[in-house]
Amino acid sequence: MVAGKTVELVISGIGGQGNVKAAQILGTAAVRAGLRVRVSDTFGISQRGGPVLSHVRIGAVYGSMVVAHSADAVVGLEPMEALRAASQFLKPGGIVIMSTRTVYPVEVNTGKAEYPPLSAILDALRIAAGRVITLDATEVALSSGIPMAANVVMLGVLAGTGLLPFGPEYVEQSIRELIPRSVEENIRAFRAGLAIGAPSKRDDFSSPEKMAG
């Protein structure tokens, strides 16, 4: 935990993956910890699976949007959207946390475009990021008993890195407050992510094969 620090985060994904809820949980956790926070969301055609970006700025900040190349971390719920967000917002040496579960856009499903290999996405991320953590968040959530909690797993990974200026207990309190159903399953999902994000269990994949799943 880093006290008294301004932390800038971008959560990227597509409509339906829980970007907005994840940002709300982080914002509530920051308020519980007595910190100033700004949260905002930008939507594409989210109801059709379009891109969604959530900006979370914690600390002595005033504007609601993370400016270009200043995010301490990008949390990507989908690989291509993680790359898009990192290329625009991640600061040099920042952290990328990426779920490897792909969701193909309409252009790919209709044959009008090709989805890049995961290995190529990871190679590009490594150029800009100081640390890249990859996992299949849906699989981790499924093992926790709630496959829809991939966004909560990703919050756990983020908390495990120690980047947040408050402890994971504040995030757990926010999960209990903002998620009315399957609370204990969500807490298990969060703690599973927490273990993955911890420095002693970092998951920096070195080969595409390890990203499968």
Side-chain angles (χ1 to χ4, degrees):
M1 184 172 69
V2 182
K5 179 184 177 184
T6 297
V7 176
E8 313 240 12
L9 307 165
V10 172
I11 304 172
S12 65
I14 64 171
Q17 288 192 301
N19 271 55
V20 174
K21 180 61 73 177
Q24 290 173 345
I25 291 170
L26 281 182
T28 301
V31 171
R32 284 180 172 274
L35 300 173
R36 177 183 295 176
V37 62
R38 296 287 183 272
V39 178
S40 64
D41 306 294
T42 61
F43 299 88
I45 48 175
S46 56
Q47 292 183 347
R48 297 184 180 181
V52 182
L53 284 177
S54 297
H55 298 240
V56 181
R57 307 184 73 211
I58 304 169
V61 296
Y62 297 94
S64 59
M65 304 289 287
V66 175
V67 301
H69 306 301
S70 64
D72 297 287
V74 166
V75 179
L77 301 176
E78 200 282 331
M80 195 64 212
E81 296 308 321
L83 179 58
R84 290 186 210 273
S87 63
Q88 185 175 358
F89 294 105
L90 188 70
K91 73 180 185 182
I95 297 173
V96 174
I97 303 167
M98 182 185 80
S99 178
T100 57
R101 184 68 63 106
T102 57
V103 181
Y104 296 132
V106 173
E107 291 81 2
V108 173
N109 287 328
T110 57
K112 296 180 180 178
E114 293 186 1
Y115 195 96
L118 281 174
S119 57
I121 292 175
L122 184 57
D123 287 344
L125 289 174
R126 282 185 172 139
I127 293 174
R131 182 182 176 191
V132 180
I133 303 173
T134 60
L135 68 154
D136 185 335
T138 300
E139 188 65 31
V140 176
L142 181 63
S143 68
S144 301
I146 182 164
M148 296 298 291
N151 59 338
V152 175
V153 171
M154 296 296 276
L155 290 182
V157 179
L158 174 64
T161 65
L163 178 66
L164 295 175
F166 44 78
E169 66 274 15
Y170 290 98
V171 185
E172 288 197 7
Q173 291 168 5
S174 298
I175 291 170
R176 293 183 185 280
E177 177 182 342
L178 297 177
I179 300 180
R181 299 176 183 172
S182 304
V183 175
E184 296 309 318
E185 289 86 348
N186 274 279
I187 294 298
R188 280 204 299 272
F190 174 76
R191 291 176 179 173
L194 193 68
I196 293 171
S200 62
K201 296 183 179 181
R202 66 174 51 187
D203 191 15
D204 296 357
F205 284 80
S206 58
S207 68
E209 289 77 14
K210 290 184 177 181
M211 297 197 305

